[in-house]
Amino acid sequence: MIDQVRPRDLPAWLNAARHLGEPVVLDVREPSELRHASVKADGFHLVEMPMGLVTQRLSELDPARPLACLCHHGARSMRVAAFLSGQGFVHVANVAGGINAWSAEVDPSIPLY
């Protein structure tokens, strides 16, 4: 099962999983989206990997580490989270609402688009 975690609740999810390794937030948005709005790594390792490259770059990710997927609204990241879960990733979450919700709930300085 893939956890659905709101941005405001992500720190608690990451801390609860920290015993499995340094948590990762996997931002699967496109480079143009990242240039417009991005999160700052705070209490996690940030990996930017467009959804279309995840299969090619899968070896860059550690399936044992806790990993939360992020996109614009949460649909693409949910698909990536489901894929990773199917590939043996043990502790995977989807950041529900994506960076749009992150701006509303955590950091209003992140521009909406």
Side-chain angles (χ1 to χ4, degrees):
M1 185 166 121
I2 297 164
D3 294 332
Q4 297 294 316
V5 181
R6 296 295 302 183
R8 68 178 165 266
D9 301 324
L10 187 60
W13 186 89
L14 295 171
N15 285 333
R18 193 169 298 281
H19 69 281
L20 299 170
E22 181 186 10
V24 173
V25 170
L26 178 65
D27 193 330
V28 301
R29 294 175 301 132
E30 295 298 318
S32 61
E33 293 176 282
L34 295 170
R35 284 190 295 275
H36 187 74
S38 192
V39 300
K40 295 179 182 111
D42 184 15
F44 57 86
H45 180 71
L46 178 64
V47 175
E48 297 170 343
M49 186 181 299
M51 182 175 138
L53 297 179
V54 171
T55 55
Q56 291 173 276
R57 295 177 57 189
L58 191 60
S59 64
E60 296 175 32
L61 303 172
D62 182 348
R65 286 171 65 180
L67 190 143
C69 298
L70 173 71
C71 70
H72 190 194
H73 290 289
R76 282 178 286 173
S77 55
M78 183 60 205
R79 292 195 337 236
V80 171
F83 169 76
L84 294 174
S85 180
Q87 296 297 309
F89 283 70
V90 180
H91 203 74
V92 180
N94 180 50
V95 179
I99 196 157
N100 198 62
W102 197 302
S103 177
E105 297 175 13
V106 177
D107 185 356
S109 72
I110 295 174
L112 297 174
Y113 64 99

